[in-house]
Amino acid sequence: MSQIHYQQLNSIRLPIANKLYKDFYPAGKAKRDETLWVGESAQGIICCVRFKYIGELQLLTGMLVKPEYRGKKIATHLLQHAIPQIKKTPCYCFAFSELETLYQHVGFITLHPQQLPNDLKQRFERYCNSGKKLTPMQYNAQP
């Protein structure tokens, strides 16, 4: 496997990230007011994650690794490189239940839905009511 470089995506390259979402995660689409972090190899962008600002906090969303690269800890490496972004403001995510341990490995803790801030609680309930099995989590920077 070729070397992978992880970095924040320049917004001018947003259409390239959206092509990846269209191909592998049609429900996800990056927007100009979001911050994206990507992993790139010689083959192009192979993984990405978005950070959406909601008031004074951010929601990590849209984590995607191309299918042929899954199971190789690429998502973990992407999140580790994005720690400066994650630490900027309180960061939450709604993890697919099967990915809860992946997020725990980089410092997220599992919450009860009632522990979410109100703006996120309503969003979380909406997503769950649409049939998604999600686990609310928050980044917990160790002192």
Side-chain angles (χ1 to χ4, degrees):
M1 183 164 53
S2 63
Q3 177 127 10
I4 300 169
H5 299 281
Y6 299 92
Q7 63 198 5
Q8 186 174 333
L9 186 73
N10 184 317
S11 62
I12 198 159
R13 299 182 66 216
L14 199 60
I16 297 167
N18 278 331
K19 167 97 171 78
L20 185 69
Y21 279 117
K22 184 178 178 186
D23 291 346
F24 299 103
Y25 187 11
K29 183 175 181 185
K31 296 166 187 71
R32 292 217 174 269
D33 63 344
E34 296 174 334
T35 301
L36 270 75
W37 280 73
V38 298
E40 288 188 84
S41 72
Q43 290 75 39
I45 296 175
I46 61 166
C47 61
C48 56
V49 63
R50 301 176 359 237
F51 295 88
K52 178 182 197 62
Y53 285 94
I54 302 168
E56 298 295 313
L57 53 89
Q58 60 183 333
L59 180 65
L60 181 158
T61 188
M63 171 78 84
L64 168 65
V65 176
K66 285 176 96 172
E68 63 266 31
Y69 292 93
R70 292 179 186 162
K72 299 177 181 178
K73 302 220 179 276
I74 288 172
T76 300
H77 292 142
L78 175 60
L79 290 173
Q80 288 168 336
H81 281 83
I83 290 294
Q85 174 68 42
I86 292 169
K87 287 183 172 182
K88 278 185 177 181
T89 60
C91 187
Y92 295 82
C93 74
F94 304 152
F96 286 116
S97 297
E98 65 271 15
L99 298 177
E100 183 176 0
T101 54
L102 170 117
Y103 290 102
Q104 287 171 339
H105 284 290
V106 294
F108 282 82
I109 58 169
T110 302
L111 301 175
H112 294 287
Q114 58 269 32
Q115 292 175 285
L116 288 168
N118 281 334
D119 289 347
L120 289 183
K121 194 182 310 174
Q122 294 169 357
R123 186 179 299 249
F124 180 77
E125 289 169 1
R126 233 182 11 254
Y127 291 167
C128 289
N129 288 338
S130 72
K132 296 177 180 164
K133 292 191 73 163
L134 301 170
T135 301
M137 303 185 82
Q138 179 182 14
Y139 183 73
N140 182 32
Q142 298 300 316

